[in-house]
Amino acid sequence: MLTEIQALLEFIYIVVAGIFAGLLGAMTGLGGGTVLVPVLTIFFQIPLIFAIGASLISTIATSAGSASAYTKQKIANVKIGIGLEMSTTAGAIVGTLTLAYFNGHDLLWAIYVLFGVVLLFSLIPSVKKTLAELPPPTEGDWTTRIFQLHGSYYDQRMKKTVEYNGVRWWAGEIVMFFAGFISGLLGIGSGALKVLGMDWAMNLPMKVTTTTSNFMIGITAATGSSIYWHLGYIQPFIAAATAIGVLIGAFLGAKLLIRITNSNIRWLFFSILSFLGVEMILEGLKADSLVSIPSVVMILISMSASVLVIVLLFIYVRKLRKDIIRRTRSEEQ
Amino acid sequence: MKSFDQEGVTSLILKSGVVVSLFLILFGTILIFTVRHADHLTLSQIADIYSTTIINSSQIGLGDLLSGSLSLDGIYLISLGLWVLIFTPISVVFVGLIDFELQKNYRYVIMSLIVLFNLFFAMLVIG
């Protein structure tokens, strides 16, 4: 039995975990949920299903909080966002029902492993995002015209209005279905996948992509959360603490992000995330008794694996940066 | 072409939704810690984060949200706050729908309706 003081301390600890998750999520652009689920399960030993439920519902708070600023600045494209939400909401429904199936058949270890893998792969578009490059301008295709994918926004850093044409709407919809599926399955915003859909598939500028994805995350998470509610995946005490924590964290993160001029500090956050990703994979394998390793060894494995991941990502970004510089030079000539 | 400041309204809804829900969640939490029980459960039962059966959202009926909150039950106030949070992004799609209707952009009216259908399908049918 918990005393009142113990209960209060427990609440405060979860709020602090939420602040950490929100902060890290905002700094890396991955959102609070991606950090919250590993933290709650690995450090607090909270049942995975409750961690996922609390995470998804907290994601709505951060999405709404930051999207309110971006939509006002007219950077986020609400029209493109709503069009793509047809797929993300459908994907979220399928994802949530898949989670329910896994939960009912003692397959939750697979969710741990999948979570770790998704987290590690999400790092690729996230580090790429730090380069914030404009996509090569296109004339548009038939979907640009039919689905009105033309838009513009004022870029404050470049001090000019950027015009853009979205293309391959259908490819965007396909990627978005998977983004929604992952969101419902793992209780995260899956912003990284949404960014992939709009940046890679639809050729939208990174600023439009990230802000629109932020706005969309809330709608996808609302779909998943309402099913989670009926399935009993939301524990009010945990969800209350995480919603408060993640919101504070995301708010502080957004403020800090403007002040941090040295982008290298982000690598520290990326390394924490990759550590959490590897930990989740090992946790899943351990839960299914596929491997039995002592916790200390597990932490050592996660640390060395995350160092490897970070080195690989760093090399990838350096190559990307060189390519951009080369392309800009040849354009100038 | 009639239209309104869709981005401004959207931004306002998102901001106020978060504030209202946070207020309800905070109020509910304070009540749980001061009254030390809610929804026939003791504080230590509510704070049992390891048991998946003592308390979870499937036991909290949506029909009782308002009456429970009005009788100042902490669990129901937190739940109401969480549902305000869920409805916040949904209302943004509604605003989009109205805006597209005013602009006679019927392609996007249909798309907004599909999104809303998915949302309510998740909420009512699957639930």
Side-chain angles (χ1 to χ4, degrees):
Chain A
M1 289 290 275
L2 289 170
T3 64
E4 285 147 33
I5 300 293
Q6 280 172 324
L8 183 63
L9 280 176
E10 193 179 71
F11 190 83
I12 293 170
Y13 289 150
I14 302 174
V15 170
V16 173
I19 294 177
F20 172 75
L23 196 69
L24 209 62
M27 300 293 247
T28 52
L30 275 179
T34 321
V35 187
L36 195 60
V37 177
V39 170
L40 290 183
T41 50
I42 295 169
F43 300 113
F44 287 82
Q45 264 94 46
I46 286 177
L48 180 66
I49 221 73
F50 279 168
I52 287 180
S55 156
L56 193 65
I57 211 155
S58 307
T59 302
I60 306 178
T62 50
S63 155
S66 50
S68 73
Y70 294 135
T71 42
K72 208 172 177 186
Q73 291 167 13
K74 296 185 195 291
I75 302 177
N77 192 321
V78 178
K79 194 193 275 178
I80 292 182
I82 289 181
L84 293 173
E85 274 305 325
M86 290 191 297
S87 297
T88 53
T89 47
I93 294 173
V94 181
T96 329
L97 295 178
T98 311
L99 175 66
Y101 178 84
F102 276 58
N103 187 33
H105 292 78
D106 281 333
L107 290 169
L108 277 184
W109 65 271
I111 301 290
Y112 275 101
V113 177
L114 194 65
F115 196 104
V117 173
V118 168
L119 207 168
L120 291 178
F121 275 97
S122 304
L123 291 174
I124 301 172
S126 303
V127 292
K128 202 181 156 202
K129 213 159 63 181
T130 57
L131 297 172
E133 186 207 4
L134 283 181
T138 60
E139 283 294 306
D141 60 9
W142 59 273
T143 60
T144 315
R145 191 174 35 83
I146 292 182
F147 297 105
Q148 307 149 24
L149 307 178
H150 176 79
S152 65
Y153 72 95
Y154 183 73
D155 192 307
Q156 275 186 324
R157 203 169 52 91
M158 294 194 286
K159 300 211 182 322
K160 66 167 187 181
T161 303
V162 176
E163 302 255 343
Y164 58 87
N165 278 322
V167 292
R168 290 187 297 269
W169 182 82
W170 52 271
E173 291 283 341
I174 294 171
V175 179
M176 288 304 163
F177 180 84
F178 283 103
F181 178 77
I182 292 294
S183 168
L185 185 68
L186 305 179
I188 57 176
S190 77
L193 257 175
K194 290 196 174 81
V195 167
L196 198 70
M198 284 184 276
D199 167 47
W200 169 75
M202 296 177 69
N203 202 42
L204 294 169
M206 202 44 110
K207 273 221 166 112
V208 179
T209 296
T210 44
T211 49
T212 309
S213 127
N214 222 319
F215 149 82
M216 289 170 64
I217 283 170
I219 303 171
T220 319
T223 318
S225 296
S226 47
I227 306 178
Y228 281 181
W229 188 277
H230 298 295
L231 293 171
Y233 295 173
I234 293 164
Q235 209 275 19
F237 188 80
I238 305 172
T242 55
I244 296 168
V246 171
L247 202 59
I248 297 172
F251 182 75
L252 292 177
K255 292 263 173 215
L256 267 176
L257 205 58
I258 306 168
R259 293 202 181 171
I260 291 178
T261 43
N262 183 1
S263 70
N264 285 336
I265 199 160
R266 283 202 184 177
W267 287 97
L268 175 72
F269 306 130
F270 287 129
S271 55
I272 300 174
L273 284 179
S274 56
F275 171 80
L276 291 175
V278 182
E279 273 282 294
M280 282 299 270
I281 296 175
L282 293 176
E283 197 75 32
L285 297 178
K286 205 173 81 176
D288 193 46
S289 316
L290 281 176
V291 287
S292 94
I293 24 174
S295 318
V296 185
V297 182
M298 219 167 104
I299 289 174
L300 282 176
I301 296 176
S302 307
M303 277 179 147
S304 7
S306 63
V307 168
L308 184 72
V309 170
I310 288 302
V311 169
L312 288 174
L313 280 174
F314 199 75
I315 296 171
Y316 171 67
V317 166
R318 271 185 58 170
K319 190 184 163 292
L320 275 181
R321 198 169 283 151
K322 273 185 191 158
D323 286 351
I324 293 171
I325 294 169
R326 201 180 314 132
R327 207 180 310 145
T328 332
R329 277 196 193 138
S330 66
E331 270 167 22
E332 278 169 6
Q333 282 166 7
Chain B
M1 189 161 55
K2 270 192 288 180
S3 186
F4 62 100
D5 181 11
Q6 190 199 353
E7 280 94 353
V9 177
T10 302
S11 172
L12 188 72
I13 290 178
L14 289 172
K15 214 180 289 172
S16 33
V18 172
V19 171
V20 171
S21 105
L22 206 60
F23 170 78
L24 289 168
I25 292 171
L26 272 174
F27 188 38
T29 310
I30 293 168
L31 272 177
I32 287 179
F33 278 107
T34 45
V35 183
R36 293 186 208 107
H37 65 83
D39 196 25
H40 313 298
L41 293 169
T42 63
L43 174 59
S44 67
Q45 283 175 315
I46 297 166
D48 188 341
I49 52 176
Y50 305 108
S51 159
T52 48
T53 46
I54 296 179
I55 177 162
N56 67 53
S57 49
S58 68
Q59 300 154 1
I60 304 163
L62 295 186
D64 307 325
L65 275 190
L66 217 56
S67 58
S69 300
L70 287 174
S71 58
L72 296 181
D73 183 307
I75 288 285
Y76 283 95
L77 275 162
I78 291 176
S79 305
L80 186 67
L82 294 174
W83 272 99
V84 169
L85 205 55
I86 292 175
F87 268 99
T88 303
I90 299 177
S91 52
V92 169
V93 185
F94 264 114
V95 176
L97 175 70
I98 296 166
D99 189 46
F100 296 137
E101 174 68 38
L102 288 176
Q103 290 181 37
K104 298 200 187 335
N105 190 346
Y106 295 118
R107 215 164 279 163
Y108 271 89
V109 168
I110 293 169
M111 286 200 242
S112 312
L113 284 174
I114 293 174
V115 175
L116 286 173
F117 172 80
N118 283 349
L119 279 161
F120 286 105
F121 181 75
M123 217 172 274
L124 304 170
V125 182
I126 300 175

